[in-house]
Amino acid sequence: MARQGARISLILALVFPTIICAAVALAYYGYRYAVNASSRSKASLMEGNQQLAELLIDQIQSRIDQVDFELFQQVEWDGQAETSASMELSPGVESFVVLDENLRIRTLHPPVPDLRRRKLEMDRWQNYVKGLEWKSLKPWTPDQAGNFRHLHQLFEGKSVLIGYASKQTAAGEHYYVAAKLNLPLIAKEWIPEEADGLAHKRRIVILDEVARSIVGQPLSASDTPFLYEASFGKTLYAWRIQITPRDVEELKAQAETERLLGVLLIPVSMVIIAVGLGVVWLTIRAERRASRLKSDFIANVSHELKTPLSLIRMFGELLATGKHKGEAMAREYAGIITRESERLSHLIDNVLDFARLERGKASYSFAEGRLEEVVERALDVCRYRLEKEKIRIRTEIEPDLPLVRMDQDAMTLVLLNLVDNAVKYGAARGQVTVKLGRVPGGLALSVRDRGAGIAVAEQERIFERFYRASNARARNVRGSGIGLSLVKHIAEAHGGWVSIESKPGHGSTFTVFIPAAPVAAAGVEERPGATAGAGAGALVGDPERAALDPVKS
Ligand code: ADP
């Protein structure tokens, strides 16, 4: 038993830390996974934003390039004329100029007939072309895309986009073409057109050089968690594009839930595991205690059986072989055999009843009857033993007691157990008082001895199955530890209860309350199975019933 207990402890000592370590590792990796998953989903969202921005930029850029390309192809200069022939401009181009080798504006298109306005426009163009990097341009050819450049910047507070290319006359003279693109058209029509086809679940905002929104509603601070922002490509490089999902609030809530789940995962799973392990540990402890008590019980019962049996055998043999001196001694031997067989049958009754109770099959046959008669009969049974043990018995039974609903055999067992204990644990040659009296609601049967009593700390536990208090163990008193648990069960099955009042050194009084017959049915229903423990003078069962205890005032 001890070896098995040690083995179980060793297994637990290995298994519990292993489970805790595994749980901690699982919770940790679960948390890491949740955090990674949330940052992965954010990254993929941001990647989606970026791809969308690049696509939109590409599409706008290629529309601009297309307009530039067509213009540069169309414009031909012979190196002579001041103005070009009248030509149809694409809506994407506001105006263009042709500059000679010395960067003098030779042509302005569309022409401005009003001289003052023409001068103004020419001055503006002078301003624009100042910043252009002509030298870096390769001569324009229609088959080689990209040999033109763009300038995008603020002039007089307005955003201006200039596309420019270097060309050659038929005579091989260099000249330049610079076109001013129609930015309002690009912002108001081209970008929305392209964006409509691309972004359903996203908001697109284009900011100009001074961060004014020229496409889309400006974003608020709450839109920033999933915001992608970049320059609007290589052409409209002074502008910025911002892209954010439309359902930012939903995504933020989702991310927060994921984060919370990840963070809560550790403590919650740890608590669950700790509680689970605690429950397992308590169950194992209770089971171990029960199995220890059971093996004690088996040892006690075997011992209890063995002693009377060997006495019966010994005195039976003495009688059978005639090895006794006279009639008186033979009667004494026969008395011993009777007493021991009574003890034996009492023990067997207890064990059988207890076994039925343990299997949940204890059944009682209730009938109305007089408890005083049952008490008298039970006392007759033990009178012989009491006389032998030189114990005086005092009975105080009130007259005209009400009927009670009871199982007479069970009530006999109650009294036999209480008297048996009073004899076993009471003072040698002492006195046992059995009282039966009326109390509010029923009858109280009490058995009092003048023995050593029971320590307060143990009073609650003596009603547990197999429990034997230190007085029994120390004095090596024979017993099985099931008597009082049977008494308690029987009392409760009758709708009553059992209480103990004991002071170490001053004896003990056990009181069993049984409801009177008319109250009994209601009493059973109202107070099913009172079981709680008791301290010194406390009740086993409902504390309210203390008032009914006749032993105490
Ligand atoms: P047992 O077979 O050991 O007597 P019980 O269930 O009848 O089992 O009693 C449980 C324990 O309660 C006993 O072992 C004993 O320690 C204690 N006990 C019972 N009755 C008395 C009493 N009258 N005086 C002192 N101790 C008692």
Side-chain angles (χ1 to χ4, degrees):
M1 175 71 199
R3 275 207 3 236
Q4 194 186 346
R7 209 167 45 234
I8 292 175
S9 302
L10 183 72
I11 291 171
L12 291 183
L14 290 173
V15 167
F16 271 48
T18 315
I19 292 176
I20 290 170
C21 289
V24 170
L26 252 169
Y28 173 71
Y29 284 106
Y31 172 74
R32 285 272 303 273
Y33 180 80
V35 170
N36 286 348
S38 129
S39 56
R40 266 200 305 275
S41 68
K42 183 175 179 181
S44 88
L45 209 66
M46 297 300 283
E47 204 175 307
N49 285 348
Q50 183 178 352
Q51 280 170 359
L52 183 72
E54 283 166 3
L55 202 62
L56 180 64
I57 290 167
D58 269 4
Q59 287 175 352
I60 298 298
Q61 229 159 245
S62 57
R63 279 178 83 162
I64 294 172
D65 286 354
Q66 181 67 26
V67 167
D68 283 336
F69 181 84
E70 280 168 10
L71 181 81
F72 296 142
Q73 186 163 33
Q74 217 177 343
V75 175
E76 288 295 345
W77 189 57
D78 57 7
Q80 303 297 318
E82 273 290 312
T83 53
S84 76
S86 67
M87 61 182 278
E88 186 89 5
L89 272 185
S90 115
V93 180
E94 273 183 13
S95 61
F96 73 86
V97 288
V98 176
L99 302 107
D100 63 18
E101 227 170 353
N102 303 317
L103 297 176
R104 270 194 322 129
I105 299 174
R106 304 294 295 268
T107 296
L108 168 66
H109 191 88
V112 184
D114 181 277
L115 276 180
R116 202 179 60 83
R117 278 190 51 220
R118 180 182 154 81
K119 163 99 177 51
L120 215 66
E121 191 61 18
M122 290 293 268
D123 287 349
R124 254 189 218 132
W125 266 109
Q126 286 295 352
N127 229 353
Y128 299 156
V129 299
K130 253 194 279 178
L132 304 182
E133 294 174 21
W134 303 107
K135 299 288 171 250
S136 64
L137 282 175
K138 288 192 192 114
W140 188 85
T141 50
D143 51 326
Q144 197 188 334
N147 50 4
F148 53 89
R149 300 193 59 170
H150 290 102
L151 170 80
H152 185 205
Q153 72 181 52
L154 280 181
F155 287 101
E156 298 162 2
K158 276 179 75 184
S159 187
V160 173
L161 177 66
I162 308 288
Y164 56 103
S166 150
K167 294 192 78 171
Q168 277 181 327
T169 60
E173 263 181 71
H174 282 285
Y175 69 95
Y176 305 101
V177 183
K180 182 179 171 198
L181 287 125
N182 187 348
L183 280 185
L185 177 86
I186 293 174
K188 294 212 165 48
E189 287 183 25
W190 291 9
I191 295 177
E193 271 168 30
E194 299 296 337
D196 267 4
L198 293 175
H200 301 292
K201 292 192 165 178
R202 287 181 163 83
R203 288 174 60 191
I204 298 178
V205 179
I206 312 288
L207 302 175
D208 70 5
E209 292 81 343
V210 287
R212 271 179 316 217
S213 149
I214 46 174
V215 174
Q217 291 292 315
L219 297 176
S220 63
S222 62
D223 294 314
T224 48
F226 305 100
L227 175 70
Y228 171 79
E229 183 170 352
S231 151
F232 199 87
K234 287 196 210 107
T235 309
L236 288 162
Y237 51 82
W239 288 357
R240 295 193 72 72
I241 180 167
Q242 292 182 326
I243 297 196
T244 184
R246 279 194 194 282
D247 43 7
V248 173
E249 286 310 317
E250 205 178 296
L251 288 167
K252 271 203 302 200
Q254 198 178 324
E256 183 60 14
T257 314
E258 278 169 14
R259 194 188 65 81
L260 267 179
L261 271 180
V263 169
L264 284 180
L265 203 65
I266 290 182
V268 169
S269 53
M270 291 312 292
V271 166
I272 291 173
I273 288 163
V275 168
L277 287 178
V279 169
V280 169
W281 187 72
L282 286 177
T283 313
I284 290 172
R285 212 178 62 158
E287 276 306 310
R288 278 171 67 183
R289 206 171 79 180
S291 87
R292 199 172 49 239
L293 286 172
K294 264 184 191 159
S295 61
D296 287 355
F297 167 72
I298 291 165
N300 287 336
V301 168
S302 315
H303 185 69
E304 282 276 79
L305 287 170
K306 218 174 132 196
T307 317
L309 268 178
S310 28
L311 286 173
I312 290 168
R313 195 172 148 195
M314 189 176 92
F315 288 104
E317 274 173 8
L318 285 175
L319 284 177
T321 51
K323 287 184 189 162
H324 53 84
K325 293 180 187 140
E327 190 72 7
M329 194 162 272
R331 263 204 307 277
E332 194 181 328
Y333 289 177
I336 293 172
I337 290 172
T338 315
R339 191 184 69 204
E340 290 304 318
S341 43
E342 263 170 18
R343 185 197 288 257
L344 212 53
S345 67
H346 171 60
L347 174 72
I348 289 165
D349 280 351
N350 259 4
V351 171
L352 289 179
D353 271 34
F354 179 76
R356 275 191 302 163
L357 198 139
E358 280 285 281
R359 289 202 309 270
K361 293 216 170 131
S363 61
Y364 300 93
S365 47
F366 292 100
E368 279 188 14
R370 302 209 160 275
L371 188 54
E372 57 270 37
E373 288 173 8
V374 175
V375 171
E376 294 282 12
R377 272 202 305 273
L379 286 175
D380 283 344
V381 173
C382 36
R383 202 151 264 137
Y384 175 74
R385 177 168 171 218
L386 292 165
E387 274 169 21
K388 274 283 154 207
E389 306 263 355
K390 305 261 183 322
I391 287 176
R392 275 170 293 128
I393 180 132
R394 235 180 89 194
T395 45
E396 295 174 20
I397 298 178
E398 275 182 31
D400 304 326
L401 292 172
L403 293 173
V404 291
R405 264 180 66 76
M406 64 180 161
D407 178 318
Q408 296 203 359
D409 289 344
M411 287 312 295
T412 309
L413 201 66
V414 165
L415 192 71
L416 289 182
N417 268 305
L418 293 179
V419 173
D420 186 48
N421 281 352
V423 173
K424 282 195 299 186
Y425 307 108
R429 297 169 181 266
Q431 176 177 301
V432 173
T433 309
V434 176
K435 267 194 197 174
L436 180 64
R438 197 190 298 258
V439 286
L443 299 182
L445 169 66
S446 66
V447 177
R448 181 175 169 207
D449 64 63
R450 303 248 173 91
I454 303 162
V456 175
E458 287 184 306
Q459 289 183 11
E460 196 176 327
R461 299 204 58 196
I462 54 172
F463 295 93
E464 287 175 16
R465 54 190 193 149
F466 311 134
Y467 187 81
R468 306 201 71 215
S470 47
N471 57 4
R473 284 176 272 137
R475 287 170 46 209
N476 215 3
V477 181
R478 285 155 56 183
S480 54
I482 56 174
L484 286 180
S485 74
L486 268 173
V487 169
K488 183 176 166 218
H489 191 272
I490 292 168
E492 287 171 356
H494 282 71
W497 39 261
V498 56
S499 74
I500 171 173
E501 192 178 14
S502 178
K503 243 191 195 167
H506 292 89
S508 320
T509 304
F510 286 86
T511 303
V512 175
F513 168 79
I514 301 294
V519 184
V524 173
E525 268 176 25
E526 281 163 19
R527 305 165 179 157
T531 51
L539 296 170
V540 173
D542 189 343
E544 282 173 20
R545 297 175 201 160
L548 305 178
D549 187 358
V551 180
K552 292 179 283 168
S553 58

